[in-house]
Amino acid sequence: MGNCIPFPTTRDLSVSRRKSLPIQTSFKLPSPLPSWPPGGEFAQGIIDLGGLEVCQVSTFTQIWATHEGGQDGLGATFFKPSTVPSGFSVLGYYAQPNNQPLFGWVLVGRDSGDGGTLAQPSDYTLVWSSGSSNINQDGRGYFWLPTPPEGYHAVGLVVTNSSDKPSVEEVRCVRSDLTDELESDAYIWSTDGFSVDSLRPAARGINALGVSVGTFIARANGAATSATLACLKNREANFSSMPNLHQVEALMQAYSPWIYFHPDEVYLPSSVSWFFDNGALLYQKGNQNPTPIDSGGSNLPQGDSNDGAYWIDLPADDGQKNKIKIGDISSTKLYLHIKPMFGATFTDVVIWIFYPFNGPAKAKVELFNVSLGKIGEHVGDWEHLTLRISNFTGELRRLYFAEHSSGTWVDASQLDFQGGNKPVGYSSLHGHAMYSKPGLVLQGNSKLGIGIRNDTAKGNSIDSGRSFEVVAAEYIGSAVTEPAWLNYMREWGPKISYDISNELKKLEKLLPGKLRSRLESIIKSLPDEVLGEEGPTGPKEKSSWAMDEN
């Protein structure tokens, strides 16, 4: 498949540079990548987008750096891709904040069809230069926007340390039918009316064809280069770079996250079949006689939408109810949804975990820690993590931590690992939101010190690769049979109505009126999903099922 060098994160330091220029450390996963099982074009180094072959390059030559502003006030560094395989052309440069190790990539491309997919720019426009900026920097930085010929788009910028225009040989523009719309992603750096963000396709999901190039956008005085920049596109919707089921299993053995539960957690996960087998009941509106659910959920209503006609609840018997609430960690199974992302240049392995019950919430109110009674309690809690894996190399690039109704992407360079390349995640006490580090995350007003507590720490743990099942992978087709419970689109717990004011009245002796009022205001602003008022829905009803996480 060519002579592409897919993923080493070393730097080419053969160019001359000032002594004051910092050597930015590079990140590598703790263990070498395994040899992936054969089959298809997964992890073969090159992906054909339909006449344009692209390769992921992670070796860079440093061009310019600034040491203030941006994330943590540490500045940013701008790089030219180096060690570009023979026959491939640079499409744009890479930028990264200085508060983390170097762990980036950009795509380079070459024509694989009848020719004409790539073209030299006809000129460059200077977007911004650092010459007049009073910032801590190494030399001067000049940011150039390629001018594409008619019928082509620029997909990245060029950075130089000289005021001379770059050569038109420096980068290539891409034919318009192989490009798609993009948008800003993460903030990188800014100063005096100039800002830099990373980029991603504007449309993202299992059927979206936009391909991220790994380049960045620059804005000078509010004018964005995104009006003329584009991302790439998998023109022929070719998903042959996606992993087969044997490769998915190998990916889980390599990257399955360790999940830690709080030492005080009593509401632990279980398998779905354990939940059904131990007495969960299906209720129907207008029917006073609930129905036991069989082990595979085959008697659950299928498809349609969440119309409120059905819901799942616990049995009336207190003993059986309490047994189900605490779950059964020994039965826990993780349920995988395998998704193509960024035009099948990445694989998202979505790891769903089921909890029979969410416990009551706790609040922090300045120096006070208070229980909120039944607020936050509900039956049937679905949470998830998402591994984002490069289809060029099979390398883990990011991990998404779902946090109630939102979540956070964390680069692999910022994760903790255990037992090789297995990242570590933490499930919050009672609420089960996922976080990358132990400690307290306050959901509310952190400045006032008022909000719902999300406490995480190392207690019981599971390796998510110990017991898992692929429940959906649309790109594979009939090779994956979806379980019946996955297509149950109604609520996994009953709707609960709380009188928040009444619940908080129970705290009158603990909290002064002003603090109680502030807490009530914050609690009422939280989504129903956090409060446990709406019965939770299953994985397929989540907005991220067919789309990107955020």
Side-chain angles (χ1 to χ4, degrees):
M1 293 297 294
N3 189 30
C4 187
I5 300 174
F7 69 87
T9 51
T10 57
R11 295 198 315 142
D12 179 356
L13 297 177
S14 59
V15 296
S16 60
R17 53 186 176 83
R18 296 172 182 261
K19 289 183 179 179
S20 60
L21 198 63
I23 298 176
Q24 191 170 17
T25 57
S26 299
F27 171 80
K28 290 184 179 181
L29 291 173
S31 299
L33 297 190
S35 296
W36 305 112
E41 298 177 15
F42 175 71
Q44 295 300 301
I46 294 173
I47 296 175
D48 194 331
L49 302 180
L52 175 66
E53 288 185 336
V54 289
C55 170
Q56 194 176 74
V57 170
S58 297
T59 56
F60 298 100
T61 300
Q62 189 168 302
I63 300 299
W64 180 70
T66 173
H67 309 294
E68 64 180 70
Q71 297 184 26
D72 297 333
L74 297 177
T77 303
F78 299 84
F79 300 92
K80 172 183 177 178
S82 62
T83 323
V84 177
S86 176
F88 283 80
S89 298
V90 173
L91 304 177
Y93 282 24
Y94 174 71
Q96 182 176 299
N98 289 338
N99 66 340
Q100 55 189 270
L102 179 60
F103 188 58
W105 57 270
V106 293
L107 299 187
V108 295
R110 73 178 178 192
D111 197 301
S112 65
D114 298 330
T117 59
L118 299 174
Q120 295 177 359
S122 59
D123 198 2
Y124 292 91
T125 300
L126 181 64
V127 177
W128 180 81
S129 73
S130 67
S132 61
S133 296
N134 184 23
I135 57 175
N136 183 3
Q137 60 180 311
D138 294 286
R140 294 288 184 264
Y142 299 82
F143 290 71
W144 303 91
L145 173 66
T147 303
E150 186 175 354
Y152 289 79
H153 283 294
V155 296
L157 301 182
V158 174
V159 181
T160 65
N161 50 24
S162 165
S163 60
D164 296 335
K165 277 188 180 182
S167 167
V168 292
E169 291 282 351
E170 185 64 25
V171 295
R172 294 292 186 271
C173 301
V174 181
R175 200 171 62 205
S176 297
D177 63 318
L178 284 157
T179 65
D180 210 343
E181 293 184 7
L182 53 69
E183 66 183 22
S184 293
D185 186 9
Y187 168 69
I188 296 176
W189 181 71
S190 62
T191 183
D192 298 332
F194 178 71
S195 63
V196 176
D197 294 338
S198 61
L199 293 170
R200 63 185 183 183
R204 300 177 307 283
I206 61 176
N207 296 312
L209 301 179
V211 174
S212 178
V213 187
T215 53
F216 62 89
I217 182 176
R219 294 178 175 85
N221 299 317
T225 57
S226 60
T228 50
L229 283 181
C231 66
L232 294 178
K233 181 179 181 179
N234 186 341
R235 182 178 61 172
E236 296 181 357
N238 176 12
F239 286 6
S240 62
S241 59
M242 291 293 293
N244 60 36
L245 290 179
H246 292 298
Q247 291 162 343
V248 168
E249 183 174 348
L251 290 170
M252 279 298 287
Q253 296 307 320
Y255 302 130
S256 59
W258 280 93
I259 301 174
Y260 279 91
F261 307 99
H262 195 279
D264 297 332
E265 184 64 79
V266 294
Y267 304 108
L268 292 166
S270 75
S271 67
V272 170
S273 59
W274 182 93
F275 178 60
F276 293 160
D277 290 343
N278 281 273
L281 298 171
L282 176 67
Y283 286 78
Q284 183 178 9
K285 190 174 183 179
N287 186 344
Q288 299 299 314
N289 299 308
T291 304
I293 305 169
D294 71 46
S295 186
S298 62
N299 61 330
L300 291 170
Q302 298 289 287
D304 296 326
S305 60
N306 182 23
D307 54 9
Y310 296 90
W311 64 93
I312 295 173
D313 203 354
L314 303 181
D317 179 77
D318 287 339
Q320 195 66 17
K321 180 185 296 184
N322 291 331
K323 176 184 176 180
I324 295 177
K325 280 185 176 182
I326 64 175
D328 180 50
I329 195 170
S330 66
S331 76
T332 301
K333 179 180 282 190
L334 285 300
Y335 303 100
L336 309 187
H337 180 204
I338 315 301
K339 298 163 52 176
M341 196 55 57
F342 296 163
T345 56
F346 284 82
T347 293
D348 278 8
V349 179
V350 188
I351 304 170
W352 290 95
I353 183 169
F354 177 73
Y355 298 83
F357 193 75
N358 245 33
K362 294 183 179 181
K364 182 178 185 299
V365 187
E366 294 185 350
L367 299 178
F368 299 94
N369 291 307
V370 295
S371 174
L372 295 179
K374 292 184 177 296
I375 293 176
E377 287 189 351
H378 64 78
V379 175
D381 181 25
W382 283 99
E383 301 291 347
H384 72 281
L385 299 161
T386 300
L387 300 165
R388 177 154 290 174
I389 295 163
S390 166
N391 285 352
F392 294 93
T393 65
E395 185 180 32
L396 174 66
R397 301 300 305 190
R398 309 182 85 188
L399 180 58
Y400 182 80
F401 295 84
E403 303 159 4
H404 302 302
S405 57
S406 60
T408 302
W409 280 109
V410 178
D411 289 342
S413 64
Q414 305 300 296
L415 295 170
D416 294 333
F417 290 88
Q418 177 178 320
N421 293 334
K422 295 174 180 283
V424 175
Y426 297 86
S427 174
S428 67
L429 179 64
H430 290 188
H432 306 139
M434 301 300 299
Y435 297 96
S436 63
K437 306 290 181 184
L440 168 64
V441 175
L442 199 62
Q443 197 165 5
N445 191 319
S446 57
K447 289 184 178 180
L448 292 177
I450 301 176
I452 302 293
R453 295 184 65 98
N454 290 277
D455 291 282
T456 57
K458 281 191 173 182
N460 289 323
S461 66
I462 57 171
D463 176 355
S464 58
R466 184 196 67 184
S467 179
F468 64 87
E469 176 186 354
V470 177
V471 295
E474 291 87 350
Y475 69 94
I476 291 179
S478 60
V480 174
T481 301
E482 296 183 356
W485 57 259
L486 184 62
N487 290 296
Y488 169 70
M489 300 301 185
R490 275 76 171 195
E491 293 168 345
W492 285 70
K495 183 175 181 178
I496 302 172
S497 296
Y498 294 114
D499 185 336
I500 294 175
S501 297
N502 187 54
E503 290 288 335
L504 292 179
K505 277 185 179 180
K506 301 173 184 177
L507 306 178
E508 283 180 345
K509 294 182 180 180
L510 296 175
L511 292 179
K514 186 176 182 181
L515 291 181
R516 193 171 66 253
S517 176
R518 285 179 175 174
L519 176 60
E520 181 175 355
S521 176
I522 288 173
I523 290 176
K524 286 183 175 180
S525 71
L526 296 175
D528 288 345
E529 180 180 341
V530 177
L531 299 178
E533 292 187 338
E534 289 293 337
T537 52
K540 272 198 174 182
E541 281 289 286
K542 310 300 185 187
S543 60
S544 63
W545 179 262
M547 307 302 292
D548 195 1
E549 294 289 357
N550 57 24

